[in-house]
Amino acid sequence: MAGGVLSFPLTSFHADGSLDPDGFRAHVAAQIATSPGAVFPACGTGEFFSLDEDEYRTVVSVAVEEAGGRVPVVAGIGYGWAQAVRFARIAEEAGADALLVLPHYLVAAPQEGLVRQVEEIAARTPLPLIAYQRGQVAFGAEAFRRLAALPTVIGLKDGHSDLDRLQRLTLAAPDGFLFFNGAATAEIQARAYAAVGVPAYSSAVHAFAPEIANAFFGALKGGEEGTVEKLLRDFYVPLVELRDRVPGYAVSLVKAAARLRGRPVGPVRAPLADPSAADLGDLKHLLVTGLDLVGATL
């Protein structure tokens, strides 16, 4: 999975908010055509939190069909472990290769409880698991050792950007254990994560501008510091500043940018809200700038 940008496709909805399977199929097919390291349907960018079980089944099934075994399909699961297991079974039936365990719902929990959450899921599905620490989930070294010792737990995605803690975890990990940079707009911190042994990352930008995402990934991997710096300065940093204007824009802006490029992804579902007209104008200007930097057009 470190061989390419990790794709987190958007879930397509019609204007009335209903699921649009055909739009999602077209979107995920376009994502796969750009050769990502893996595809992660129904995760945070895919609005997992707003999908019912039937919709979730459709989304994962379509992603598996379009991937056709060419890239791994890692489906998101979440909430408390009992509900997460229901989604895990649906993903298994749909043919997913692995599962991303999103942070549990609402409550803070001690380290023992965080480990037990994953243990309960692992005991009820044969699929490989990638734990996601973000928000109220953060594993200490001892809890992480217990987590990594579970036979089906293959990786950890980190969204905290606490590089001191993360370095301790990478040093405590068994051989072959996978780590992923899951920071919001991960490219901003990609060099720092790579320095502590975490080169693989998810890219929300890939969902609307794979040309930019892949150019950045190639420049970073090839040591082209000038290109990395220019893309960060002229595209990624302004994107983060725009993203930070309104809660939820980490998804809403991504979907709006995809629509600007004619992708059939539709609006976001509540509680998210689509960008204002002014912010949409700024987003379009920034998108044109970013595409121009890599020799692409809107």
Side-chain angles (χ1 to χ4, degrees):
M1 295 186 192
V5 175
L6 303 178
S7 168
F8 283 67
L10 301 155
T11 299
S12 299
F13 300 119
H14 293 292
D16 65 0
S18 61
L19 184 68
D20 178 7
D22 293 336
F24 179 70
R25 185 179 295 278
H27 171 59
V28 78
Q31 289 281 287
I32 291 170
T34 65
S35 302
V39 174
F40 289 68
C43 293
T45 307
E47 298 179 76
F48 165 79
F49 50 85
S50 76
L51 301 176
D52 67 27
E53 292 181 13
D54 288 339
E55 292 170 331
Y56 176 85
R57 184 187 304 276
T58 298
V59 166
V60 177
S61 296
V62 167
V64 170
E65 290 167 8
E66 291 302 318
R70 290 174 290 169
V71 296
V73 175
V74 185
I77 60 172
Y79 306 112
W81 66 259
Q83 187 65 33
V85 168
R86 291 175 65 91
F87 283 102
R89 289 173 178 157
I90 294 170
E92 180 185 351
E93 292 167 1
D97 298 297
L99 303 168
L100 178 66
V101 182
L102 301 168
H104 63 270
Y105 172 68
L106 190 60
V107 297
Q111 293 290 293
E112 173 66 23
L114 298 181
V115 175
R116 282 288 304 280
Q117 161 84 345
V118 180
E119 287 177 338
E120 296 288 357
I121 297 170
R124 291 167 174 81
T125 177
L127 290 179
L129 304 177
I130 298 169
Y132 189 1
Q133 61 171 15
R134 186 171 183 164
Q136 70 270 40
V137 177
F139 295 102
E142 184 53 39
F144 171 74
R145 290 187 185 95
R146 288 179 56 192
L147 190 76
L150 295 171
T152 57
V153 174
I154 63 169
L156 178 74
K157 183 180 180 184
D158 175 75
H160 285 294
S161 304
D162 182 340
L163 298 182
D164 180 290
R165 176 192 291 263
L166 187 58
Q167 181 70 91
R168 295 168 191 260
L169 300 188
T170 61
L171 294 172
D175 290 342
F177 195 83
L178 304 174
F179 285 92
F180 305 93
N181 167 4
T185 315
E187 286 90 345
I188 291 287
Q189 301 184 61
R191 290 186 294 189
Y193 269 85
V196 296
V198 185
Y201 62 86
S202 57
S203 174
V205 170
H206 191 275
F208 64 86
E211 304 97 323
I212 299 173
N214 286 335
F216 182 89
F217 181 86
L220 184 66
K221 191 173 181 180
E224 301 170 25
E225 286 297 312
T227 300
V228 169
E229 292 281 349
K230 188 165 185 59
L231 286 170
L232 287 173
R233 183 182 303 109
D234 296 343
F235 176 75
Y236 282 101
V237 168
L239 179 65
V240 168
E241 292 172 350
L242 181 56
R243 181 201 72 198
D244 289 347
R245 289 182 187 175
V246 177
Y249 266 17
V251 176
S252 301
L253 281 180
V254 174
K255 236 177 182 181
R259 291 195 301 273
L260 286 172
R261 303 202 72 196
R263 308 295 188 255
V265 297
V268 292
R269 273 183 175 174
L272 298 178
D274 288 312
S276 67
D279 289 344
L280 193 61
D282 290 344
L283 175 63
K284 184 175 182 179
H285 175 76
L286 179 57
L287 180 55
V288 169
T289 298
L291 291 168
D292 184 62
L293 288 172
V294 298
T297 59
L298 189 63

